[in-house]
Amino acid sequence: MNNTPSSISRPVIAFDVETPNSYNDRMSAIGVAVIENGRITRKYTTLINPETHFDAFNTALTGISADMVRSAPTFPQVWEIIGPVMQSGILLAHNAPFDMRVLACCLTDYGIPAPASLPYACTVQMGRKCCPRLPNHKLDTMCRALDIPLNHHQADSDCLACARLLLYYLRQGLALEPFIRTYDLRNLRTLSHS
């Protein structure tokens, strides 16, 4: 099988979300990077007004405050722009079940029509296979080890780092297909796989 970065037949959409509080059911920011034919072809990032409260911990972690998002678009407004892209291929995130759950919660809470499930892959899982000797496979650890630029907990930087991790893994001969899972958007869980 050809495992080069350009051998993937569908777009891969790397994304990262930041959340305003410990409920992790709304977004305060999202970053999206689309990978096609072995390269990053499109990028999108925006703050999001989550229409809920901010915890001090989340603001300290992300640098995003309630004041900063007061005039930002809401999730339904952002989804009008990114929804078609997010549903066009395989979603990718670092510690993907977290980002997939936040996405599913936002779609459900706002009553936005969406497929029952979406395919995704996780760069943490791929990293464990590709780079087993690292002390851990957190995004900042991976990026330091592989010399990938990162401004951690910034959605635009995190999604680009995730995309670059995938391209690195593919260049090392790791295939994406064995890592593709299906996320049940209605029940907030990964479906079992064989």
Side-chain angles (χ1 to χ4, degrees):
M1 177 182 278
N2 183 1
N3 294 329
T4 62
S6 60
S7 68
I8 300 171
S9 59
R10 293 187 279 175
V12 177
I13 302 96
F15 79 109
D16 179 78
V17 304
E18 303 301 335
T19 59
N21 57 53
S22 61
Y23 290 108
N24 295 323
D25 59 1
R26 293 289 176 99
M27 298 178 194
S28 55
I30 189 167
V32 177
V34 181
I35 304 158
E36 298 170 293
N37 300 315
R39 61 190 186 89
I40 298 167
T41 58
R42 289 175 281 166
K43 296 179 283 188
Y44 175 81
T45 187
T46 185
L47 292 175
I48 298 175
N49 183 340
E51 301 184 293
T52 189
H53 74 280
F54 278 72
D55 287 347
F57 173 84
N58 295 65
T59 295
L61 184 70
T62 67
I64 303 169
S65 67
D67 285 342
M68 290 173 65
V69 300
R70 205 171 307 283
S71 60
T74 60
F75 179 79
Q77 293 169 317
V78 171
W79 189 251
E80 286 182 19
I81 298 166
I82 66 170
V85 173
M86 299 284 282
Q87 297 172 83
S88 70
I90 302 160
L91 296 177
L92 181 77
H94 202 76
N95 191 24
F98 172 85
D99 298 84
M100 293 299 296
R101 183 186 183 283
V102 176
L103 175 63
C105 286
C106 287
L107 291 167
T108 299
D109 287 357
Y110 283 105
I112 297 171
S117 62
L118 288 172
Y120 79 93
C122 178
T123 49
V124 172
Q125 297 300 321
M126 297 182 78
R128 288 178 180 147
K129 180 75 172 178
C130 190
C131 307
R133 290 189 171 86
L134 290 179
N136 63 61
H137 295 86
K138 295 177 182 177
L139 187 59
D140 54 344
T141 302
M142 297 289 302
C143 288
R144 270 194 306 274
L146 301 175
D147 200 27
I148 293 172
L150 179 68
N151 186 5
H152 204 12
H153 300 300
Q154 302 299 303
D156 57 344
S157 181
D158 286 2
C159 78
L160 281 172
C162 182
R164 289 170 178 144
L165 282 175
L166 174 65
L167 295 174
Y168 172 82
Y169 299 152
L170 295 174
R171 287 193 300 270
Q172 301 310 303
L174 200 65
L176 175 62
E177 289 76 12
F179 295 92
I180 297 173
R181 305 291 181 257
T182 300
Y183 196 86
D184 180 341
L185 294 172
R186 297 191 178 131
N187 295 303
L188 308 178
R189 64 187 181 92
T190 298
L191 297 175
S192 59
H193 56 277
S194 55

